[in-house]
Amino acid sequence: MDNNNWLTQLLMLGVGTTSLVADKLREASDELVKDGKLNPEQAKEVMDDLLQKLKSEQGNFETQMERQFRNLLQDVGVPRQSEMDELRGRIDRLERQVRDLENKLWR
């Protein structure tokens, strides 16, 4: 399982959802202007405010998703990258020691 791929897909889902909501908000704003319920300046101000809040919440959503995903991986026993790097280093050292011992035996 490629952990980064899952995380990327989840984050892209959040970005896609945010884009869809922003598009729907623009459509609703345009309708309100068209119907004369808002003037263009008011619509722009409302849209800017809503989009700013949406972007802020998206950042919070992404942070929460990353934290939850890391916790999930830890709960199911998937090692962190730093742990994998440490194990690779230990394996490399052991392989060198085995080669050195083999070389000593063949001399």
Side-chain angles (χ1 to χ4, degrees), residues 55-72:
K55 286 178 185 177
S56 173
E57 289 178 16
Q58 178 186 351
N60 293 337
F61 172 76
E62 289 173 0
T63 301
Q64 290 174 355
M65 287 300 298
E66 287 176 15
R67 186 178 307 119
Q68 290 293 333
F69 192 68
R70 271 194 304 273
N71 291 341
L72 174 68

Side-chain angles (χ1 to χ4, degrees), residues 21-95:
V21 169
D23 288 344
K24 293 299 180 186
L25 285 172
R26 276 190 204 93
E27 288 176 16
S29 174
D30 291 345
E31 279 295 314
L32 290 172
V33 169
K34 182 179 158 187
D35 293 344
K37 295 179 181 176
L38 281 179
N39 66 42
E41 293 82 28
Q42 289 173 319
K44 181 182 178 340
E45 185 178 316
V46 168
M47 278 299 298
D48 289 346
D49 186 45
L50 287 173
L51 288 175
Q52 184 61 36
K53 286 179 183 177
L54 192 61
K55 286 178 185 177
S56 173
E57 289 178 16
Q58 178 186 351
N60 293 337
F61 172 76
E62 289 173 0
T63 301
Q64 290 174 355
M65 287 300 298
E66 287 176 15
R67 186 178 307 119
Q68 290 293 333
F69 192 68
R70 271 194 304 273
N71 291 341
L72 174 68
L73 292 175
Q74 185 177 8
D75 289 347
V76 297
V78 176
R80 293 187 317 259
Q81 185 64 44
S82 60
E83 294 170 322
M84 292 298 294
D85 292 342
E86 180 185 337
L87 289 173
R88 283 186 186 106
R90 290 174 66 187
I91 290 170
D92 288 344
R93 284 190 298 279
L94 288 171
E95 286 176 340

Side-chain angles (χ1 to χ4, degrees), residues 8-20 58 61-62:
T8 301
Q9 288 179 4
L10 285 172
L11 292 177
M12 292 306 292
L13 178 63
V15 170
T17 302
T18 301
S19 296
L20 181 63
Q58 178 186 351
F61 172 76
E62 289 173 0

